[in-house]
Amino acid sequence: MNNDNNEVMLKVENITKRFPGTLALNEVSFEVKRGEVHAVVGENGAGKSTLMNIISGLLEPDEGRIVFMGGEVRFLNPREAQDAGIGFVHQELSLCPHLKVSENIFMGRLPHLKNTFVNRKRLKEMTDYFLEKFQADFAADDVVKNLTVAQQQIIEIAKALALDCKLLILDEPTSSITENETKVLFGIINEIKRQGMSILYISHRMEEIFQVCDSVTVIRDGCLINTLRTAGVTSDQVVRMMVGRNIENMYPPKSSGISDVILKVEGLKSKDVFKDISFSLRKGEILGFYGLVGAGRTEVMRALCGIDPCDNKVIEFRGDRVENNAYRRSIDRGIVYITEDRKSQGLFLKMSVENNISAAMIENIRTDFRIDRDKESALCGRYVGELGIKIASEKQKVDSLSGGNQQKVMIGKWLATYPKVLIMDEPTRGIDVGSKSEIHKMLRKLSEEGVGVIVISSELPEIIGLADRVIVMHEGTITGELSGDDIKEENIIIYASNFKTSSRAANE
Amino acid sequence: MDENVSTSVRQRSSQLLRRIFAFREASVLVSIIAVMLILSILSPYFMTKANLTTTALGFAADGIIAIGMTIVLIIGGIDLGVGSVMALSMVTVGGLTTIYHLNIWLAVVTAVALSLLCGLFNGFLIGRVKLTPLIATLGMMSMARGGAYVITKGSPFSMSGVPPAFRFLGSGSIFGIPTFVVIFIVMIIIADYLLRRSAPLRNLYYTGSNEKAAELSGINVARVKLFVYVTCALLSGIAGILTVSRFNVTAPNSGMGSELRVISACVIGGASLTGGEGTVLGSILGIILLNFINNGLVLMRVSVYWQDLVSGAILIAVVTLDLVSHRKKAS
Ligand SMILES: Nc1ncnc2c1ncn2[C@@H]1O[C@H](COP(=O)(O)OP(=O)(O)OP(=O)(O)O)[C@@H](O)[C@H]1O
Ligand SMILES: [Mg+2]
């Protein structure tokens, strides 16, 4: 790797940005060299996305200046930044669901013939080039709304690469893709880096940062803490700079005692999605679900709660057979599911933090027929405190919160229903290291208090560190169950890719 | 062996059928054919050239407006002002020629300019000021209609001494087909093709599907909106001019209710009120279906009062069927 290249690609000088009630960035300055992968880290709400939005012309800084490729720039809109060579993969997906993969990748810059007509052949060729690069399992002509979140994330990355840019900004690109796709992405990052492109890489996963990044800039509460070469620091040191204190032990201790079965599921089946799903959940344990994309974990949980219909299910909750399980009944019973897709399924973005937290159990804040403002604000205050949500006011609209804080608001909303079985789909997606360990601790605490906890995660370390027992799924069936010391990366991967059965199938 | 071949052929053709029926246009087309078959059995008069041309003439104006409404719906907007703008353009032509004795072509140019202005106004309010389309065009609906009443002082008036060249547009014919219908068909073909293939027009779908994403990709959303509302108003104005030429009469209450008829037709043809979907072909097929059914009711001497009831029922039936059939496929 060629790192002694000292040409500066991007220089950010004394950038300050204020939002009503928040000083999001306070005189931040740093430099990105040509051909360098530069990480930007910080807690949720530290100002990383805001900084990137300023660099890419989406927001205007209140003060400070940006020098890109030797000249001062002041982009008025994203288009200008793109034309100058800055590509951006946003933290939140921004695709057009009704359109094809190819049309999304080349959104705003479709290849066309001399007249105005779309050059469909070229469009398909160009798209296939990117899909091949990612070894994607979908086609150029697929309509985006039929794809999974992970597949959409890949389109999002391809879209930025297709810009042929000089500086690529990746805001948490791996938060919803699997290990395999992450590896592919890293391969691509290394390749474009050799071609002299610079990359700004935002992630909450320290392993990734130390794996692909050359330097790291740490931001805390909108202030620049330091810029360092990754070779010279350890992950612990970076985390300490981020949060300003020591983070002890990442994962909480495992279960102290497992007792009776709370929830028992037998023969859950939905045609073409999953079949023969049987498992039980005991008091005091955290049950992990792992699988590759398309393994059907989310679908199983949704059917279990009664959100989606399924063909066959036998569910016992605390020893009683569950008959009617419309989702509202499930919630009242205490079985709740927290979605992996907070933006489109988990939050009321245009409503306040307060309104969101009380949304799932309006009973909590009712006095007779009235909504009791005091109760609502007390409820909100309680979960904002418990989860450490960073907000300017309880009346703030959720869509102006940073990604990680939105995630916490969603968790708060469900905790406020006092669940007995808590099913969390990717609970720490987009959450910073410190809060992540707090959420893990909170899950452990809930489980010790007798709440049944199921965690779906695509992050192996999380599953290994958190779960007492792991169920692994592959293409809609359960392929293995691990507990105690057997919960190891190798074992999980074997089940998740189902090597055993596939080798048997090959022999037949 | 033979069996195998025939099953695979059957499988492939059923796959093909399913692919075709994934498009709303196909199911609407099949409904139209079914309606035509039934009507030609019930009434010998239905399949005559005279009846079909009259029916086509009857919906040509709505059809031209539907082209505009389709692109408005694609970007996730709505335009309630189309009927009023059409009326405004009609009375402009009528008023300027009869009251002020202006040259008919100058009157036509003025009417087009006025429609353009209405469109610019809508597009500016919606695209730049960011007013919701429902409110902006609801206002336009009243304003343009009001303008039409002001110009005519409320009463219809008929025109005399109209030059034959102008009459030809709305009441002449080319090879036995009314000119109005020919113009309409040419417009559909061009609009449908452009909307499917042109690169800049793809921005309409991007905007309707996810406005934020479109903006982040450097698409000038405000300009897209301006273009769409201007085009829609222009088409409404043109529909009005052609209607004047057809009837030689202008009335301030023309085009009443056409906004809802046209929106229904577009939705039947696959446009979605939340944007991102819709084709010109689909919308036109929607118009044809609704008008054939109304024509059938007339032929069978059903009271005209039934027409609205039936149209509403068809709208709901088509959209429900489509929803249910897609839901089944998904699971
Ligand atoms: N439009 C806005 N209006 C008001 N406050 C805002 C707005 N956008 C961001 N903020 C605030 O600015 C701060 C920085 O937010 P930002 O999204 O940059 O954080 P982040 O570092 O990207 O966090 P995360 O890791 O959670 O994505 C937060 O406190 C956030 O609430
Ligand atoms: Mg962010």
Side-chain angles (χ1 to χ4, degrees):
Chain A
M1 244 174 280
N2 164 18
N3 278 337
D4 39 45
N5 190 338
N6 274 327
E7 191 184 337
V8 174
M9 173 84 83
L10 173 81
K11 200 163 168 184
V12 170
E13 285 175 19
N14 298 319
I15 294 283
T16 298
K17 178 78 191 172
R18 290 182 198 85
F19 289 115
T22 327
L23 179 60
L25 291 171
N26 188 3
E27 308 222 328
V28 174
S29 313
F30 72 101
E31 289 182 353
V32 181
K33 307 239 161 60
R34 175 184 291 279
E36 164 184 72
V37 184
H38 193 113
V40 177
V41 299
E43 288 182 291
N44 294 132
K48 305 178 294 292
S49 299
T50 306
L51 184 57
M52 298 306 128
N53 287 339
I54 288 174
I55 294 172
S56 66
L58 212 61
L59 289 175
E60 245 185 293
D62 296 336
E63 282 156 45
R65 55 185 219 130
I66 294 169
V67 180
F68 181 58
M69 314 248 304
E72 181 172 347
V73 289
R74 197 153 260 264
F75 302 123
L76 294 176
N77 55 47
R79 181 76 196 217
E80 285 182 19
Q82 283 169 16
D83 291 342
I86 297 182
F88 196 165
V89 175
H90 291 268
Q91 186 171 10
E92 314 289 347
L93 289 171
S94 51
L95 296 173
C96 291
H98 301 94
L99 290 144
K100 290 177 185 167
V101 170
S102 55
E103 292 166 333
N104 266 286
I105 293 181
F106 294 95
M107 197 191 305
R109 40 179 51 71
L110 290 167
H112 48 81
L113 306 169
K114 275 217 194 63
N115 48 37
T116 74
F117 297 116
V118 178
N119 187 343
R120 293 193 292 181
K121 188 158 153 266
R122 177 122 183 76
L123 177 62
K124 187 156 182 336
E125 279 168 12
M126 281 159 55
T127 308
D128 284 343
Y129 167 78
F130 285 104
L131 295 187
E132 232 160 77
K133 220 168 169 174
F134 275 99
Q135 300 154 22
D137 56 351
F138 51 91
D141 284 339
D142 288 347
V143 175
V144 165
K145 66 177 166 195
N146 302 328
L147 302 179
T148 63
V149 174
Q151 290 169 326
Q152 295 187 18
Q153 183 71 57
I154 290 172
I155 300 174
E156 195 78 71
I157 296 169
K159 196 170 124 192
L161 287 177
L163 287 175
D164 199 16
C165 48
K166 313 215 169 45
L167 173 71
L168 179 63
I169 303 175
L170 299 169
D171 196 349
E172 299 193 33
T174 54
S175 65
S176 49
I177 59 179
T178 61
E179 317 260 315
N180 259 334
E181 288 152 343
T182 305
K183 263 186 218 133
V184 173
L185 175 66
F186 288 177
I188 293 174
I189 288 180
N190 282 326
E191 188 189 320
I192 57 181
K193 171 176 147 177
R194 270 195 298 276
Q195 293 163 3
M197 209 193 265
S198 306
I199 293 152
L200 269 169
Y201 190 93
I202 297 182
S203 174
H204 289 296
R205 299 187 185 163
M206 287 300 141
E207 323 91 73
E208 288 180 0
I209 285 166
F210 281 87
Q211 209 174 326
V212 283
C213 300
D214 306 307
S215 329
V216 51
T217 288
V218 183
I219 297 179
R220 182 165 80 224
D221 290 331
C223 299
L224 176 82
I225 300 298
N226 208 344
T227 297
L228 304 148
R229 300 207 62 81
T230 45
V233 281
T234 65
S235 152
D236 284 347
Q237 284 168 317
V238 172
V239 170
R240 194 153 51 229
M241 280 185 250
M242 264 169 64
V243 298
R245 62 192 146 87
N246 280 323
I247 293 269
E248 64 313 345
N249 207 349
M250 272 287 287
Y251 292 99
K254 297 253 168 160
S255 173
S256 61
I258 293 170
S259 54
D260 17 327
V261 174
I262 321 180
L263 185 75
K264 196 166 162 196
V265 177
E266 228 157 287
L268 210 60
K269 180 183 163 212
S270 174
K271 197 170 161 264
D272 296 335
V273 189
F274 54 79
K275 60 172 196 284
D276 300 332
I277 304 293
S278 306
F279 65 90
S280 56
L281 172 68
R282 289 161 180 282
K283 222 177 215 163
E285 73 171 348
I286 294 181
L287 177 60
F289 265 77
Y290 184 83
L292 302 177
V293 170
R297 298 163 297 169
T298 298
E299 288 78 2
V300 165
M301 294 308 156
R302 288 174 60 100
L304 162 64
C305 295
I307 300 172
D308 294 334
C310 67
D311 301 328
N312 180 40
K313 66 177 156 195
V314 179
I315 300 169
E316 270 175 34
F317 177 57
R318 297 172 149 182
D320 297 325
R321 181 82 193 267
V322 169
E323 291 300 343
N324 173 351
N325 89 331
Y327 189 39
R328 184 69 240 178
R329 293 291 298 272
S330 285
I331 296 173
D332 293 338
R333 225 173 257 130
I335 305 179
V336 305
Y337 165 81
I338 306 188
T339 174
E340 60 181 324
D341 186 357
R342 60 171 174 260
K343 211 138 196 178
S344 70
Q345 297 177 17
L347 291 167
F348 304 101
L349 291 169
K350 297 269 174 229
M351 292 173 77
S352 66
V353 173
E354 211 173 49
N355 291 158
N356 268 277
I357 287 186
S358 56
M361 195 59 95
I362 212 84
E363 299 303 316
N364 281 336
I365 54 163
R366 215 169 82 171
T367 305
D368 316 321
F369 291 104
R370 282 182 310 115
I371 283 182
D372 190 327
R373 294 267 169 77
D374 295 338
K375 278 192 191 169
E376 183 165 34
S377 134
L379 187 78
C380 176
R382 176 173 159 201
Y383 288 100
V384 165
E386 243 171 58
L387 296 167
I389 309 178
K390 216 181 132 192
I391 54 173
S393 116
E394 293 171 351
K395 301 270 185 285
Q396 191 177 359
K397 281 187 186 164
V398 167
D399 65 356
S400 70
L401 293 180
S402 77
N405 282 305
Q406 291 183 1
Q407 179 79 9
K408 292 185 193 171
V409 170
M410 178 172 72
I411 295 176
K413 168 177 125 190
W414 288 110
L415 289 187
T417 66
Y418 309 115
K420 303 197 176 66
V421 172
L422 184 65
I423 303 172
M424 292 191 99
D425 204 344
E426 308 287 356
T428 56
R429 170 169 295 165
I431 293 235
D432 69 49
V433 210
S435 319
K436 195 165 172 174
S437 89
E438 269 155 40
I439 286 177
H440 290 153
K441 269 192 215 123
M442 174 204 81
L443 285 175
R444 178 54 73 197
K445 186 165 144 254
L446 286 170
S447 134
E448 295 288 311
E449 286 166 2
V451 176
V453 178
I454 297 180
V455 172
I456 299 181
S457 177
S458 301
E459 226 180 301
L460 265 176
E462 178 168 58
I463 282 282
I464 295 170
L466 188 65
D468 301 305
R469 194 152 58 89
V470 178
I471 289 178
V472 185
M473 287 185 64
H474 174 80
E475 288 181 0
T477 54
I478 293 181
T479 47
E481 188 179 319
L482 298 160
S483 56
D485 292 339
D486 290 338
I487 305 182
K488 276 194 294 234
E489 188 167 334
E490 310 88 77
N491 296 347
I492 296 180
I493 297 232
I494 287 174
Y495 284 132
S497 42
N498 206 14
F499 286 141
K500 283 183 192 156
T501 44
S502 55
S503 62
R504 196 169 58 221
N507 289 338
E508 269 171 19
Chain B
M1 188 62 193
D2 259 7
E3 247 168 49
N4 275 345
V5 171
S6 78
T7 48
S8 87
V9 166
R10 208 175 311 143
Q11 253 170 15
R12 218 173 310 147
S13 58
S14 87
Q15 245 169 27
L16 190 70
L17 269 182
R18 218 174 304 145
R19 263 252 274 318
I20 291 172
F21 273 92
F23 292 102
R24 179 79 73 80
E25 287 98 325
S27 19
V28 181
L29 187 62
V30 169
S31 318
I32 292 177
I33 294 171
V35 168
M36 287 175 85
L37 282 177
I38 296 170
L39 287 179
S40 53
I41 294 168
L42 289 179
S43 159
Y45 182 65
F46 177 74
M47 267 307 197
T48 58
K49 192 184 162 213
N51 182 50
L52 290 180
T53 16
T54 328
T55 316
L57 256 179
F59 62 68
D62 274 359
I64 291 174
I65 298 178
I67 298 174
M69 190 63 81
T70 307
I71 58 174
V72 169
L73 292 176
I74 287 172
I75 67 158
I78 196 161
D79 190 346
L80 296 178
V82 288
S84 306
V85 171
M86 171 177 162
L88 182 64
S89 128
M90 284 176 72
V91 302
T92 307
V93 174
L96 288 181
T97 47
T98 38
I99 303 174
Y100 298 99
H101 306 290
L102 202 69
N103 174 292
I104 184 93
W105 300 110
L106 278 180
V108 165
V109 171
T110 317
V112 170
L114 212 53
S115 319
L116 185 87
L117 219 60
C118 293
L120 282 172
F121 189 68
N122 279 340
F124 174 77
L125 284 183
I126 296 164
R128 302 271 169 207
V129 186
K130 303 211 179 349
L131 223 58
T132 19
L134 194 75
I135 292 170
T137 62
L138 192 63
M140 179 52 70
M141 176 171 157
S142 272
M143 279 165 42
R145 179 73 63 195
Y149 279 115
V150 169
I151 292 175
T152 58
K153 303 210 172 60
S155 50
F157 47 89
S158 60
M159 299 161 45
S160 52
V162 178
F166 181 68
R167 290 285 292 151
F168 175 74
L169 291 176
S171 25
S173 62
I174 301 174
F175 300 121
I177 304 169
T179 325
F180 197 166
V181 176
V182 173
I183 295 175
F184 166 57
I185 291 173
V186 170
M187 281 174 124
I188 302 171
I189 294 173
I190 295 175
D192 188 78
Y193 189 75
L194 283 180
L195 205 52
R196 277 174 210 275
R197 292 295 179 76
S198 143
L201 288 185
R202 193 62 52 90
N203 289 352
L204 271 53
Y205 288 96
Y206 288 129
T207 305
S209 186
N210 185 346
E211 195 174 318
K212 192 96 196 278
E215 213 152 349
L216 292 179
S217 305
I219 292 168
N220 189 337
V221 172
R223 200 158 70 197
V224 167
K225 290 184 177 173
L226 191 70
F227 165 78
V228 161
Y229 286 98
V230 165
T231 310
C232 186
L234 267 181
L235 287 168
S236 311
I238 290 172
I241 293 165
L242 291 170
T243 309
V244 174
S245 153
R246 179 179 166 212
F247 291 117
N248 236 357
V249 203
T250 64
N253 62 349
S254 332
M256 230 13 146
S258 73
E259 55 285 333
L260 296 186
R261 278 201 307 275
V262 170
I263 292 171
S264 301
C266 294
V267 171
I268 288 176
S272 139
L273 287 179
T274 50
E277 288 171 301
T279 61
V280 169
L281 180 64
S283 303
I284 300 304
L285 290 173
I287 291 256
I288 295 178
L289 179 64
L290 286 179
N291 279 279
F292 274 1
I293 289 176
N294 282 346
N295 179 237
L297 294 177
V298 172
L299 290 180
M300 286 182 300
R301 293 181 210 291
V302 178
S303 145
V304 286
Y305 299 124
W306 281 89
Q307 287 189 3
D308 282 348
L309 197 152
V310 173
S311 302
I314 291 168
L315 170 70
I316 292 177
V318 171
V319 179
T320 310
L321 271 178
D322 184 73
L323 203 69
V324 172
S325 64
H326 276 87
R327 202 177 295 156
K328 230 180 238 152
K329 218 176 299 154
S331 67

